[in-house]
Amino acid sequence: TARSYSWYYGESFYTWTIHIPASRYNYFATLPRDKPTPADYIMSDRGRAELELVIEDLISLADSRNLNENQRRDMVIAFVQSLPNNRWGAVVDYDEYPKYPIQTLYDGGGDSQDTAILLTALLRLLGIEASLLETPRHYAVVLPLTEADKNANKVYLYQKDGETLLKGNYLDENNNIRDYYHNNPGVLRNSYIYIESNIPGNPMGSMPLQFRNAYIQSLYDINYRP
């Protein structure tokens, strides 16, 4: 079976096809969901060989368009964001468990947990320090914050300690940037830029409108006063 994907990045249209042996698809469909947390599915040995071939294909596709490293990263993000969201069973009618990254590709899409696991795995195979962000209702991906990202007012999260993740900045009701740590250069060491994995075209470092209030509430520390 061959599954073809198409998506836009920048001003270009991309297409890519993956060939799926039925035996491998069935293998992933019947695997036990025995990993302790969703993050344990990211770099599992199950499907790693196929996933490495996937990233080789995507790198070749990027090279054919003369993309630099940042553009290649953003092209991969745009690819994963383009996969259909499994809202109301639009992709498959079984989705209440974490999927291995290659299985999400085989299925042709998934929910935010599935695509966030996939995107994190692909970025790590590109040599990027991506991590999975889990909240009660939604999953996303985070990368270490750079000074350039912070100066560009991209949305970031600050890890205060091992168990406390705080919003670093956000747009208020008047569309003004509120940055709680603008005078604290040390915050760069423990902060992460936010990336959506299943909202097409959502720029890296941008919070979707539909999640903005939820994140502001869920990432709030009652002991912290901005």
Side-chain angles (χ1 to χ4, degrees):
T1 301
R3 182 176 291 280
S4 296
Y5 308 89
S6 57
W7 71 99
Y8 282 96
Y9 165 65
E11 298 181 353
S12 298
F13 183 71
Y14 292 78
T15 59
W16 173 63
T17 300
I18 183 174
H19 296 276
I20 306 168
S23 60
R24 295 302 287 168
Y25 181 90
N26 293 332
Y27 167 74
F28 284 100
T30 57
L31 278 175
R33 265 47 200 178
D34 53 0
K35 302 292 184 182
T37 69
D40 294 310
Y41 288 79
I42 293 170
M43 297 302 287
S44 169
D45 288 339
R46 295 168 174 172
R48 177 74 64 82
E50 288 100 332
L51 206 61
E52 288 175 347
L53 293 176
V54 166
I55 203 64
E56 287 178 9
D57 282 353
L58 293 175
I59 289 173
S60 296
L61 186 58
D63 289 345
S64 71
R65 304 294 180 95
N66 297 316
L67 302 184
N68 60 35
E69 288 189 8
N70 286 342
Q71 292 171 329
R72 183 173 65 187
R73 173 202 64 200
D74 294 346
M75 185 270 285
V76 170
I77 292 172
F79 162 63
V80 176
Q81 287 180 340
S82 74
L83 297 177
N85 190 324
N86 196 38
R87 190 175 289 111
W88 301 299
V91 179
V92 291
D93 58 5
Y94 51 91
D95 206 13
E96 295 304 318
Y97 53 80
K99 291 181 184 176
Y100 293 93
I102 198 71
Q103 187 184 6
T104 299
L105 283 177
Y106 285 1
D107 284 343
D111 58 20
S112 67
Q113 182 184 72
D114 305 326
T115 54
I117 289 173
L118 170 62
L119 179 55
T120 303
L122 292 176
L123 291 176
R124 286 190 183 181
L125 289 174
L126 284 175
I128 299 170
E129 296 180 50
S131 299
L132 190 69
L133 174 66
E134 179 179 0
T135 73
R137 295 185 178 181
H138 190 67
Y139 286 76
V141 180
V142 292
L143 305 182
L145 180 71
T146 68
E147 187 170 5
D149 293 330
K150 193 170 185 296
N151 292 338
N153 289 324
K154 293 185 177 180
V155 171
Y156 71 93
L157 308 173
Y158 169 55
Q159 188 162 4
K160 181 180 178 182
D161 53 47
E163 298 181 353
T164 308
L165 195 64
L166 304 174
K167 56 187 179 296
N169 62 351
Y170 72 98
L171 284 173
D172 64 18
E173 60 275 9
N174 296 316
N175 281 331
N176 297 316
I177 288 288
R178 292 284 305 277
D179 189 339
Y180 295 154
Y181 305 99
H182 61 280
N183 290 324
N184 184 354
V187 76
L188 285 170
R189 292 191 299 271
N190 299 296
S191 295
Y192 303 88
I193 190 167
Y194 179 91
I195 306 174
E196 268 299 326
S197 67
N198 70 347
I199 297 182
N202 196 85
M204 186 174 72
S206 174
M207 183 74 73
L209 289 174
Q210 60 265 49
F211 298 137
R212 189 176 295 168
N213 290 335
Y215 272 103
I216 289 171
Q217 293 168 5
S218 64
L219 299 174
Y220 183 72
D221 181 353
I222 61 174
N223 299 314
Y224 174 72
R225 294 290 181 270

